[in-house]
Amino acid sequence: MSSDQQYPYGQQQSPQPYQGQYADQQHQQAYQPPHHEPGYPEPGHQDPAYQESRDAEVSQTWQAETWDTQYQPVVRPSQAAAAPDTAYTRPRAAYPLPPEAPLPAPAPAAYEPPADQADTSGFSAPTTVGNARITDAQRARAEGRSPIIAPGAQPAGLTAALALLLAGGAAIGPYALLVPLVLLQAVTAAGWFRLNGMWPARQGIAFAFAGGLAADAVLLFVGRENAPAAIIGTLGVWVLLTLVLQLRSHAGADERMYGLMATVASAALAILATGHLAGPDDAVVVGAIAVAVAVLARALPLPGVASVAVALLAAAGAGIAAGGLTDMGAGGALLGLAAGGCALIGLRVASYDYPSRFVHMTAGVALPLTAAAPAVYLIGRALV
């Protein structure tokens, strides 16, 4: 039986809709009877040929949506706006996005003052955008300023006062000399760490200061005649201890290397200051007075070369005067000149790399006396 005989024209049932996401769409579609075209019999006409063609057409036509992935209907904008968000869309081939290239940041325009307001002070214009990767010394060089800043008169006065304490303690005895020497070693350890830009570094400062105290204790125990062995032996032990401590550190490789170098150098300087305790008493008196006069002369407002020459001459004169008060005699001039030269080297080191006021009040005070300790011991032993 044909479909037209089973279902009368106009009452033919639509095929069973699919279950799932297309069910609502199938229920909304109503069967529309075919339009009458010229050349075909009327709908009520029972022509066998026409009925056979209608049966074949109905049996071969699928009115519902298919799963054909090749056919893609053209969706108009009005239909795309009215389509639900859950409609199935064919996935397209994905292509990787090109790498994003960062846009270069526009360089800020430099401020140029008018010609009548030009700055003639020699310093560059202030800026709020700095480079965090350059040091203050590099910035000072880039701006045309010198990174070498001398400590000045106030640290020089403190150095002179500490030198006079050393001279007075040496005139009294080794145990009286020990008090200002311990103060010198503490200031040296703290100043060297801050001079290297490492702050706070309490453990490193305490460790270097402990090395100086150990050298003092060993020297007092073995006597001045064994001073080289006591100083060098303590320094060797402290270097090994510093290596062990840095190996146990959990910091990065660069940080551990910086800490190792700063701790070894600070401990070496603190131990080197023990040379004041190892030298002869008269040599310590002459050397300390020469250092005090040299740093005060260096703080005078004189040109660079002239200031250095005046400081050396003043140190030699102070050595002659102090040698006359002791048993060194005229040999005090050589000791005073050598101690004054070492003091100027210490001042130069404390002035390097654009130091801060804290560096001036620690390293700038202690390094002149610490650097003069080897000259006091060696030349003092040779002259006395």
Side-chain angles (χ1 to χ4, degrees), residues 68 105 128 217 260 307 354:
D68 185 8
T128 57
L260 174 64
S307 178
Y354 206 65

Side-chain angles (χ1 to χ4, degrees), residues 237-294:
V237 171
W238 242 248
V239 169
L240 292 178
L241 291 178
T242 304
L243 290 173
V244 172
L245 291 178
Q246 292 301 323
L247 289 176
R248 293 172 56 88
S249 176
H250 297 285
D254 293 339
E255 187 176 354
R256 282 189 294 176
M257 181 59 66
Y258 295 151
L260 174 64
M261 299 304 296
T263 305
V264 169
S266 182
L269 290 173
I271 295 172
L272 191 66
T274 310
H276 290 291
L277 186 62
D281 296 335
D282 293 342
V284 175
V285 172
V286 173
I289 294 176
V291 170
V293 174

Side-chain angles (χ1 to χ4, degrees), residues 100-182:
E100 297 183 359
L103 297 177
Y111 171 74
E112 296 182 359
D116 55 347
Q117 299 181 4
D119 188 10
T120 58
S121 61
F123 293 93
S124 62
T127 177
T128 57
V129 181
N131 190 350
R133 295 188 178 185
I134 65 175
T135 62
D136 292 336
Q138 293 173 342
R139 185 177 294 109
R141 292 189 185 97
E143 295 178 356
R145 295 182 287 113
S146 174
I148 306 299
I149 300 177
Q154 188 175 2
L158 294 176
T159 302
L162 186 56
L164 293 179
L165 289 177
L166 285 173
I172 296 174
Y175 290 97
L177 176 61
L178 190 62
V179 176
L181 178 60
V182 169

Side-chain angles (χ1 to χ4, degrees), residues 202-233:
R202 299 180 181 89
Q203 295 181 355
I205 293 173
F207 185 75
F209 177 58
L213 294 180
D216 297 340
V218 172
L219 181 61
L220 291 176
F221 180 77
V222 300
R224 291 182 175 178
E225 60 276 6
N226 298 317
I231 294 175
I232 296 175

Side-chain angles (χ1 to χ4, degrees), residues 114 118 142 198 244 265 275 322 325 330 373:
M198 302 183 64
V244 172
L325 299 177

Side-chain angles (χ1 to χ4, degrees), residues 24-46:
D24 296 336
Q25 299 178 7
Q26 288 294 332
H27 284 292
Q28 294 176 3
Q29 294 179 357
Y31 178 78
Q32 300 294 336
H35 298 282
H36 174 67
E37 298 181 3
Y40 289 89
E42 295 296 330
H45 185 71
Q46 300 296 329

